Amino acid sequence: MDQDLDLEFVGLTKRYGKTVAVDAISYHFETGTYACLLGPSGCGKSSTLRMVAGHESVSDGAVLLGGRDISALPPAKRGTAMMFQNYALFPHLTVADNVSFSLRMQGVDANSRSAKAAEMLELVDMSGFSDRLPAQLSGGQQQRVALARALITKPQVLLLDEPLSALDPLLRIRMRAELKRLQRELGITFIHVTHGQDEALALADEIVVMNNAVIEQAGKTRDVFEAPKTAFVARFLGSHNVIALPEGQIAVRSDALRLRPPEGAKLPGRITNIEYQGTHVALTAMVPGDQEVTALLSDTDFFGDPKDLGEAVGLDWEARAAHALTA
Amino acid sequence: MAGPLALVLGVFLVAPVVMICVVSFWGATEWSIYPAFLFDNYAFLFSSEVTYRVFLNTFKYAAITWAFTFVIGFTVAYFLAFHVRSLTWQIALFLLCTIPFWTSNIIRMISWIPFLGRNGLANSTLMSWGVIDEPVEWLLFSDFSVILAFVHLYTLFMVVPIFNTMMRIDKSLIEAASDAGASGWQTLWFVVLPLTKPGIMIGTIFVVALVMGDFITVRFMSGSQSANVGRMIQNDIALLQYPSASATAVVLLCTVLLLIGILLRFVDIRREL
């Protein structure tokens, strides 16, 4: 890949009056990465994205694209394109006019515009819809049009602001696959903001977990999931238990927990809830220190040795499954 | 619930209009009017060259006033909706726009007279600045002063519906436009203006209907030197020529309705109501 199109945050900061929305974050995205900015609402992920797009001024620090500081450029001159959360399609323009809007602004003639728009609509599988108005499309179709409109400018980085949040769950999974396919085909960097960890895990090559205006942890998706560094990351990514032990807090994946007799196990506990989930059974136990711990057992393991509510059990895990947490 | 509304509309709208229509066919002599079904009033109206001149003058006032109120109203609404960031300021500035409405139309109109008159503030200021040597005559009692007063009186009727429509424009559309490389003017022309059309149309209907039906502004500000349809009707009434006045009123009503009908063909305002 062309090394020159890496996206980099250098001490990127956003202040609104006295509130700090993004606090001096630094990170380097390699060209062609699908990256997710993940975090709860108000963590600063949207502000970060909007600073990259140019819809929010940078209070301090810089955004570099291919080594060039783009933080003071107008949105269209940055080499980025944004897909808005509610798609922001122009309601008075047809699908084709929406898609080719940026070409019209550049003064491209009508024929090349419609040819280019048709090409982009083909890419997102919306060829038959060029004369419709946005209001005549379903949510998923509107999203495809918004994608086509963002991609027609040939951006080096595509910014997606919670692109799937307005869709129903089934469509969300389909569009997820679609986004991933497009990103692979185009080979450009996608920066995708979301608060859904499943979405981030499914899509991202790299995730950046943000909380309270800073990056809590970032890296290859699997590295982050396998080894969360803080209690926040472990909890936010899900499928982890955060357990306070005398020697400190640790994170253990719930599917890494095994049931043992109470004697000799790392943690003794009492079962408070059993939830059948089809392929798995989630078993919640109360352990010393009033902590709830969830173990995810395969259905064969559980039904081979069924347990009852209130039963005393021991919880065990392999030493390498436990990750010490810093906070 | 439709009953009371129908009653109010019936008594205060339908009945008077029907009455005017009926009277417009009555006959009149110099000293009396009598019930009849004659087309004399209309025949006289349409055969008189004065009618056409006065109607033309009325259209002229409406068109020029519309152009000014539109440009000013759009600018004010645009500023309020897109440049004033906080809701508090938006409300405060909006209320500021309505302050002239705390006094009556006539007082607002008359207050222009000492300002624009031959020895008024405007002339004496211009002379003291050396811009002019002699008082400018056309400032008062002219088409200029009539239109000035119209614009002053009716711009708010343009501001309110346009502002209302603009406030409903999703701000992310503006960002999407700038993301696509649109300049400020391009965003205004290709995004804001088309989306504001229904508001512009409602404002247009207000202004056109008000100007077309006005008689008092024209009388005061032109010093009775210009005429519009309202003045024509008023004159007839002063001479107790009610049938003739009614006929003119009916023609005016039809003209305005036709105009609004044409306007509504171009823009769908239903989603604004």
Side-chain angles (χ1 to χ4, degrees):
Chain A
M1 274 295 159
D2 190 353
Q3 193 62 28
D4 266 339
L5 294 177
D6 289 9
L7 180 70
E8 195 174 351
F9 302 159
V10 185
L12 190 59
T13 303
K14 180 70 203 179
R15 281 184 289 266
Y16 297 103
K18 286 206 174 86
T19 354
V20 180
V22 179
D23 192 2
I25 62 169
S26 295
Y27 196 70
H28 184 116
F29 301 93
E30 282 188 13
T31 311
T33 306
Y34 200 121
C36 278
L37 298 185
L38 179 66
S41 52
C43 72
K45 58 188 194 303
S46 283
S47 298
T48 304
L49 192 79
R50 291 170 55 77
M51 279 193 284
V52 180
H55 297 309
E56 205 79 74
S57 63
V58 174
S59 307
D60 228 323
V63 182
L64 307 181
L65 179 56
R68 183 172 65 117
D69 184 358
I70 58 167
S71 32
L73 297 176
K77 295 259 183 298
R78 296 185 169 212
T80 61
M82 175 130 166
M83 202 179 101
F84 292 83
Q85 185 170 8
N86 54 3
Y87 316 135
L89 296 175
F90 303 118
H92 59 295
L93 297 180
T94 63
V95 165
D97 287 344
N98 261 287
V99 172
S100 60
F101 187 80
S102 61
L103 301 181
R104 191 169 174 195
M105 294 306 106
Q106 291 161 21
V108 176
D109 67 283
N111 284 336
S112 355
R113 278 206 317 257
S114 66
K116 201 85 200 13
E119 192 183 308
M120 293 321 292
L121 287 171
E122 175 88 49
L123 180 73
V124 295
D125 208 11
M126 285 287 291
S127 291
F129 297 87
S130 50
D131 293 329
R132 301 259 190 110
L133 287 174
Q136 298 166 316
L137 302 177
S138 71
Q141 291 169 333
Q142 288 185 25
Q143 181 173 47
R144 285 161 191 270
V145 175
L147 255 175
R149 184 178 68 180
L151 291 172
I152 202 168
T153 58
K154 298 231 175 294
Q156 291 142 2
V157 177
L158 183 68
L159 307 165
L160 305 111
D161 190 6
E162 310 234 358
L164 304 174
S165 57
L167 304 176
D168 62 69
L170 270 177
L171 199 57
R172 202 176 296 173
I173 290 170
R174 249 183 48 208
M175 281 312 296
R176 201 156 87 180
E178 193 86 354
L179 283 177
K180 189 74 189 173
R181 174 186 71 82
L182 268 172
Q183 193 263 340
R184 260 196 311 266
E185 275 179 24
L186 298 167
I188 61 173
T189 308
F190 274 37
I191 308 285
H192 174 141
V193 160
T194 176
H195 57 255
Q197 43 82 25
D198 52 339
E199 203 171 297
L201 294 177
L203 281 167
D205 304 321
E206 285 186 27
I207 54 177
V208 177
V209 185
M210 292 186 68
N211 189 30
N212 291 328
V214 296
I215 295 178
E216 197 89 2
Q217 189 175 352
K220 298 256 174 283
T221 306
R222 188 142 175 256
D223 294 349
V224 174
F225 186 78
E226 298 272 303
K229 288 207 180 83
T230 66
F232 172 82
V233 175
R235 287 203 184 97
F236 200 80
L237 290 176
S239 322
H240 281 83
N241 287 298
V242 175
I243 309 170
L245 294 173
E247 60 268 30
Q249 268 196 328
I250 59 160
V252 187
R253 267 165 59 171
S254 41
D255 59 344
L257 290 177
R258 295 282 163 269
L259 291 192
R260 296 272 177 277
E263 309 79 38
K266 285 201 173 75
L267 264 185
R270 196 166 289 279
I271 297 174
T272 55
N273 191 27
I274 299 170
E275 199 175 71
Y276 177 58
Q277 295 180 345
T279 57
H280 285 84
V281 177
L283 196 144
T284 309
M286 194 63 94
V287 301
D290 249 3
Q291 309 179 70
E292 281 201 327
V293 171
T294 301
L296 202 60
L297 307 171
S298 76
D299 57 341
T300 40
D301 280 358
F302 180 81
F303 292 108
D305 180 16
K307 300 284 187 228
D308 259 329
L309 282 181
E311 209 170 311
V313 289
L315 293 163
D316 220 344
W317 57 86
E318 286 177 35
R320 63 188 172 87
H323 301 280
L325 299 173
T326 54
Chain B
M1 287 312 286
L5 184 66
L7 190 75
V8 169
L9 281 178
V11 172
F12 293 106
L13 181 73
V14 179
V17 171
V18 169
M19 192 116 58
I20 288 172
C21 284
V22 170
V23 173
S24 72
F25 293 103
W26 285 13
T29 64
E30 265 143 53
W31 60 86
S32 73
I33 57 175
Y34 53 93
F37 188 74
L38 305 167
F39 287 94
D40 294 5
N41 302 312
Y42 289 100
F44 178 74
L45 198 61
F46 286 114
S47 65
S48 161
E49 180 256 346
V50 174
T51 312
Y52 296 100
R53 227 175 43 221
V54 168
F55 265 85
L56 200 69
N57 206 34
T58 309
F59 282 127
K60 187 185 80 184
Y61 284 149
I64 299 175
T65 306
W66 176 82
F68 278 104
T69 52
F70 167 64
V71 171
I72 298 171
F74 189 89
T75 313
V76 171
Y78 184 81
F79 176 76
L80 283 178
F82 291 103
H83 283 268
V84 180
R85 291 297 170 88
S86 82
L87 189 66
T88 325
W89 271 107
Q90 274 175 340
I91 294 170
L93 291 174
F94 187 76
L95 287 178
L96 206 64
C97 291
T98 65
I99 283 182
F101 280 70
W102 295 0
T103 59
S104 87
N105 262 8
I106 302 193
I107 290 175
R108 273 183 291 155
M109 218 180 319
I110 292 177
S111 53
W112 280 110
I113 294 176
F115 182 79
L116 297 174
R118 204 184 138 75
N119 300 312
L121 271 175
N123 269 327
S124 44
T125 309
L126 286 175
M127 287 207 300
S128 74
W129 284 350
V131 181
I132 49 172
D133 300 327
E134 296 198 340
V136 180
E137 296 287 350
W138 51 262
L139 282 182
L140 191 61
F141 302 137
S142 61
D143 282 352
F144 169 80
S145 55
V146 171
I147 286 165
L148 182 72
F150 274 142
V151 171
H152 175 209
L153 292 176
Y154 300 139
T155 296
L156 195 70
F157 290 97
M158 206 49 124
V159 175
V160 174
I162 296 180
F163 176 67
N164 186 34
T165 319
M166 280 182 176
M167 287 300 280
R168 294 193 218 179
I169 296 177
D170 184 354
K171 296 289 179 290
S172 63
L173 292 180
I174 310 297
E175 289 182 350
S178 89
D179 217 52
S183 67
W185 286 109
Q186 281 177 319
T187 307
L188 188 68
W189 183 255
F190 290 106
V191 180
V192 177
L193 193 66
L195 291 176
T196 313
K197 264 190 200 159
I200 296 172
M201 206 41 70
I202 293 174
T204 303
I205 292 171
F206 278 140
V207 169
V208 168
L210 286 167
V211 173
M212 296 282 286
D214 178 276
F215 63 94
I216 197 89
T217 310
V218 175
R219 182 178 155 194
F220 278 130
M221 298 310 287
S222 79
S224 298
Q225 292 179 53
S226 298
N228 69 342
V229 183
R231 290 278 291 141
M232 205 157 90
I233 296 169
Q234 194 199 14
N235 278 341
D236 278 342
I237 291 173
L239 298 171
L240 299 180
Q241 295 292 327
Y242 292 117
S244 165
S246 299
T248 316
V250 169
V251 174
L252 177 64
L253 182 66
C254 292
T255 316
V256 173
L257 287 179
L258 206 69
L259 215 58
I260 291 173
I262 292 169
L263 290 177
L264 291 183
R265 291 230 120 196
F266 289 111
V267 177
D268 181 14
I269 61 165
R270 259 172 302 179
R271 68 190 172 94
E272 289 300 305
L273 303 176

